[in-house]
Amino acid sequence: MSTAQGARARARTEITAAIKDEARRQLAAEGAAKLSLRAVARALGMVSSALYRYFPSRDELLTALIIDAYDSLGAAAEAAHDAVAEAGPLHRWTTVCEAVRAWALAHPHEYALLYGSPVPGYNAPQSTVPAASRVGLLLIGIARDAHRGGHLAAPALPAELRPEAARMTADLAPDLPPEAVAALVAAWAQLYGLVGFEVFGQFHRLVEDREPFFRQAAARLARGVGLTS
């Protein structure tokens, strides 16, 4: 790459980052539904036509912000897990859950973009799936290691749920019992429900000492999946 090409690439990277930073500021101030490319361009002193060369539409900018947020959340969870990788499955599970909570509390507006109210007129494309899957795959990996080590006591599965559990197992983790996979999907949803209640204020005047409350709730989710000490 020539010197000129390298300078252009660096400039594009810097401008792209500045656009995203301003968009995040607007998310915090106005919410995702009011995100406007024209407003972002105006705040950066750019003409709209120049910004469109980086993000041709609001939806493409939203998609970039969503992927960045999912990747940031996933990286935080993976780093926390790596620090306790030699621990037992229960401890690894609760560590990942606590990392998700910590990230959400530190990035409430980005968490709202991922797990808050849907943005009117926006449908997340398939390109968001790999980043969105990082935490879920981490939890599946913990269950997989527990299963291999004889520390997964899969819960009972009602007969009416078995066909759906079998489908989810084929899609997500064919090497795990369907009972465990169904419980994993439920636990994943409940994890984000717990975090969302705290981030969005539903625990106000209901749960005051929230850290130990969350830790115990996360441990109960692990036991519901069938993780044992």
Side-chain angles (χ1 to χ4, degrees):
M1 180 182 293
S2 69
T3 301
Q5 288 174 324
R8 284 196 296 270
R10 287 193 298 273
R12 184 173 184 85
T13 297
E14 290 171 1
I15 294 171
T16 299
I19 292 170
K20 288 181 179 179
D21 287 344
E22 175 56 28
R24 291 187 189 99
R25 190 196 67 76
Q26 293 193 16
L27 286 178
E30 303 288 345
K34 294 185 178 180
L35 180 64
S36 162
L37 288 183
R38 290 182 181 276
V40 171
R42 187 165 53 249
L44 294 174
M46 299 173 66
V47 296
S48 298
S49 58
L51 190 145
Y52 290 140
R53 291 199 292 269
Y54 294 85
F55 296 99
S57 68
R58 181 209 66 162
D59 285 5
E60 290 200 26
L61 178 54
L62 270 176
T63 295
L65 296 176
I66 287 169
I67 290 173
D68 284 355
Y70 274 131
D71 275 333
S72 177
L73 171 58
E78 289 161 2
H81 177 265
D82 289 348
V84 296
E86 301 304 316
L90 269 174
H91 185 57
R92 290 163 61 196
W93 175 285
T94 55
T95 296
V96 169
C97 291
E98 287 176 309
V100 170
R101 172 180 178 264
W103 184 90
L105 293 175
H107 304 84
H109 303 294
E110 290 174 79
Y111 188 85
L113 177 63
L114 301 181
Y115 297 108
S117 299
V119 180
Y122 174 79
N123 292 306
Q126 194 69 18
S127 60
T128 62
V129 172
S133 302
R134 289 174 67 168
V135 172
L137 291 175
L138 196 56
L139 296 176
I140 288 173
I142 294 171
R144 180 178 287 120
D145 289 346
H147 182 52
R148 290 170 179 165
H151 296 293
L152 184 69
L157 187 67
E160 63 181 359
L161 184 55
R162 189 161 291 281
E164 179 64 9
R167 185 198 62 78
M168 290 190 291
T169 300
D171 287 345
L172 299 174
D175 54 337
L176 287 177
E179 295 85 350
V181 174
L184 274 165
V185 172
W188 174 79
Q190 291 171 71
L191 167 62
Y192 288 111
L194 279 165
V195 172
F197 259 53
E198 185 169 0
V199 171
F200 302 135
Q202 280 92 344
F203 281 152
H204 180 60
R205 300 185 67 181
L206 176 64
V207 180
E208 296 299 332
D209 197 0
R210 292 169 188 165
E211 186 170 343
F213 175 85
F214 180 86
R215 188 178 300 114
Q216 289 303 309
R220 285 194 294 273
L221 292 180
R223 295 187 182 97
V225 169
L227 298 182
T228 61
S229 298

